[in-house]
């Protein structure tokens, strides 16, 4: 289950984000949380696994018809591909009118998820492929 970040989840969100090397620095971590809260087009979701435990986080930004997946992090004991697919499936269901896209750090994961679901590049609409 995906839950939108709110201030009472701050400690959980900080714990999850601190698993990423980028956010080992306290100031950088605080800045990232503030960034997600400062715009309507940005959302940090916390992900609960099938046992109802907080197990991951995904940061997104809406740009036109796309939902840019800026970051994905999972607890070390939950960091398996099936959980990543489940998290992305739930994200795609949450915003069904947006196509998931990745950043440099998440593009491979998004591409593998799309391939896993049979959404290879050749199956995308021509408007998405730039033709």
């Amino acid at each position: 289950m995906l839950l939108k970040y709110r201030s009472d989840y701050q400690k959980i969100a900080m714990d999850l984000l601190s698993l990423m090397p980028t956010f080992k620095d306290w100031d950088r971590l605080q800045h990232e949380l503030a960034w997600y809260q400062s715009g309507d087009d940005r959302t940090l979701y916390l992900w609960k696994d099938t046992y109802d435990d907080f197990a991951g986080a995904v940061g997104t930004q809406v740009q036109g018809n796309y939902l840019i997946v800026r970051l994905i992090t999972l607890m070390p004991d939950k960091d398996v591909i099936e959980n990543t697919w489940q998290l992305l499936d739930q994200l795609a269901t949450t915003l069904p009118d947006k196509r998931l896209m990745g950043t440099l750090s998440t593009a491979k994961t998004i591409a593998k998820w799309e391939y896993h679901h049979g959404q290879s590049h050749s199956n995308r609409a021509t408007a998405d492929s730039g033709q």
Side-chain angles (χ1 to χ4, degrees):
M1 169 184 354
L2 287 176
L3 302 169
K4 284 186 178 182
Y5 172 79
R6 55 183 205 237
S7 59
D8 54 324
Y9 293 145
Q10 183 176 8
K11 186 174 180 174
I12 295 163
M14 291 175 71
D15 287 346
L16 290 166
L17 292 179
S18 70
L19 297 170
M20 302 177 73
T22 308
F23 301 119
K24 295 293 183 193
D25 176 61
W26 176 259
D27 291 332
R28 175 77 172 108
L29 179 58
Q30 292 284 68
H31 177 74
E32 188 73 7
L33 284 176
W35 185 82
Y36 281 107
Q37 293 180 299
S38 67
D40 292 337
D41 62 335
R42 309 167 194 155
T43 306
L44 180 66
Y45 293 97
L46 303 181
W47 180 68
K48 285 188 167 188
D49 64 9
T50 55
Y51 302 105
D52 206 33
D53 295 327
F54 284 104
V58 58
T60 64
Q61 182 178 16
V62 173
Q63 289 187 353
N65 293 326
Y66 298 98
L67 182 64
I68 309 300
V69 178
R70 298 178 47 85
L71 65 86
I72 301 171
T73 185
L74 293 170
M75 296 292 289
D77 62 325
K78 305 292 184 174
D79 196 1
V80 294
I81 201 71
E82 292 82 10
N83 285 337
T84 302
W85 292 172
Q86 187 178 9
L87 186 153
L88 291 173
D89 288 345
Q90 291 175 16
L91 185 60
T93 302
T94 300
L95 294 162
D97 61 327
K98 303 291 183 200
R99 177 156 173 246
L100 299 187
M101 294 288 289
T103 62
L104 288 176
S105 62
T106 62
K108 284 184 182 180
T109 303
I110 300 300
K112 288 178 185 178
W113 172 77
E114 284 182 333
Y115 182 79
H116 173 74
H117 289 299
Q119 300 172 357
S120 67
H121 184 70
S122 61
N123 292 340
R124 294 177 186 159
T126 56
D128 288 341
S129 64
Q131 297 176 356

